Amino acid sequence: AANSGVQSYRQEIGREIAIYGRIIIGFLREAEAGLAVGELCRRHGFTEARYYFWRTKFAGMNVSDAKRL
């Protein structure tokens, strides 16, 4: 039963990457350019926790790199 939870989580992340990879990379680049994380999250409607999750997964990647995950 625990494995099915892990699998569904991985599938969810995979779908997120496939659909929103370009957008996620754009958010990370805005933060790298100096926009405060809190302000970035408010502007685009996601949580700081989600931002930091994305940062651990996608930092330094371009869109084609993210799609290969």
Side-chain angles (χ1 to χ4, degrees):
N3 260 352
S4 65
V6 171
Q7 275 184 320
S8 65
Y9 176 75
R10 286 183 180 158
Q11 288 172 343
E12 178 184 334
I13 298 305
R15 282 192 299 272
E16 189 172 83
I17 293 166
I19 297 168
Y20 301 110
R22 179 172 292 164
I23 296 168
I24 292 168
I25 300 296
F27 292 154
L28 296 176
R29 287 190 180 148
E30 284 184 59
E32 289 171 1
L35 184 62
V37 172
E39 176 62 23
L40 175 71
C41 295
R42 278 188 294 281
R43 281 187 188 180
H44 298 291
F46 56 87
T47 66
E48 288 189 33
R50 179 54 78 186
Y51 165 80
Y52 288 110
F53 171 79
W54 287 337
R55 191 179 75 175
T56 62
K57 295 291 183 189
F58 307 115
M61 289 186 181
N62 60 38
V63 174
S64 61
D65 293 335
K67 285 182 179 179
R68 281 184 273 205
L69 290 177

